[in-house]
Amino acid sequence: MKSRILIGIIFVLPLLLWGAVLYPGALATPYQAPSPSFTVAHESTEDFNDTVEDRDAAIESAVPVEELSEDQQRAFKTAKEQEPHPFSGRQSFKLPVCKDILLMCDEYEEAPEEPSSSGGIGYQHHPYGIVEDTDGEVYLVRAGFGGEKAWDLSPVFEITSKLLSLGVFSIFLIYQYWGRWKPEPTPTAVGYGIALVAFAFAFPYLVMFSDIASLGLILLPVITWCTIIVEIVRSRGKKEMSARSESV
């Protein structure tokens, strides 16, 4: 009975592994890249003065921070905690926005935009917003993509890790067991295949709560290849022992 269960699983595992390869939410970092930014500049900064020509009009049209959405208030507070730029005085940070395909998000589900002068969200028509903090201080607020463009190589590492671990192990299972009349899958091969599928789908959520992104993508192909080598050596050793016993 146990052997039949292993055989059944070994025929399904390659399909699940390739499904994980094709699924963009498996073995992938949970946040969008490139990340949008959220920037604030105090009314005393050069950036504020250069952007807003009429300071009185800007202060009068400022949106009270209490009227912002929860995500806007959170981003506004986080931006104010950043180190000011030495020349412009602006304070900014990269927004960790979760990918839409994920089932849960520990950061921002959508990138908060700066408020328009009327208090609503209008990034398409308003390149910046003016916000009045609880202490009466006024800030220039920008949201979106800006600054120097940086190359993001994480998708390359993710797909490479997928192919070298999930893809390679599925090919190994197909070659090792699908072509045999009476396949004899080992508990190690079945167990590792199941663990590989589970880890691939759980990876984005593990990254949310632990710093294993780069380490996991690097180590997984190494562990997978080591498992394959061990299984091949074990299979050849078993064949040699069977051949010796038959010759005797």
Side-chain angles (χ1 to χ4, degrees), residues 23 99-105 109 205 208:
Y23 179 63
K99 296 177 179 177
D100 296 335
I101 200 168
L102 298 182
L103 300 177
M104 64 167 290
C105 178
E109 293 185 0
Y205 309 101
M208 291 181 183

Side-chain angles (χ1 to χ4, degrees), residues 10-147:
I10 213 70
F11 277 95
V12 175
L13 269 178
L15 302 178
L16 294 176
L17 288 167
W18 275 108
V21 171
L22 299 176
Y23 179 63
L27 204 63
T29 53
Y31 308 114
Q32 296 178 10
S35 301
S37 61
F38 197 92
T39 304
V40 300
H42 189 262
E43 58 183 318
S44 63
T45 63
E46 180 180 348
D47 189 39
F48 186 100
N49 295 325
D50 290 344
T51 305
V52 181
E53 296 179 358
D54 189 344
R55 290 189 54 173
D56 293 334
I59 294 175
E60 290 177 0
S61 62
V63 179
V65 69
E66 296 86 355
E67 296 183 10
L68 303 182
S69 68
E70 183 178 343
D71 281 347
Q72 285 178 313
Q73 291 188 40
R74 177 186 171 193
F76 180 73
K77 180 180 178 181
T78 303
K80 289 198 306 174
E81 295 172 349
Q82 307 305 309
E83 189 71 22
H85 190 277
F87 299 107
S88 64
R90 67 181 62 171
Q91 299 161 275
S92 64
F93 76 104
K94 294 294 183 180
L95 287 161
V97 182
C98 294
K99 296 177 179 177
D100 296 335
I101 200 168
L102 298 182
L103 300 177
M104 64 167 290
C105 178
D106 67 328
E107 290 289 352
Y108 296 88
E109 293 185 0
E110 294 181 352
E113 298 173 330
E114 72 273 26
S116 66
S117 57
S118 61
I121 301 300
Y123 178 74
Q124 298 296 330
H125 307 289
H126 299 270
Y128 60 85
I130 306 295
V131 174
E132 182 180 358
D133 205 355
T134 54
D135 56 4
E137 299 293 324
V138 178
Y139 291 82
L140 175 73
V141 179
R142 293 191 185 92
F145 297 92

Side-chain angles (χ1 to χ4, degrees), residues 1-9 183-185:
M1 184 64 180
K2 182 178 179 181
S3 179
R4 291 181 180 180
I5 295 175
L6 292 179
I7 292 173
I9 295 175
E184 297 180 2

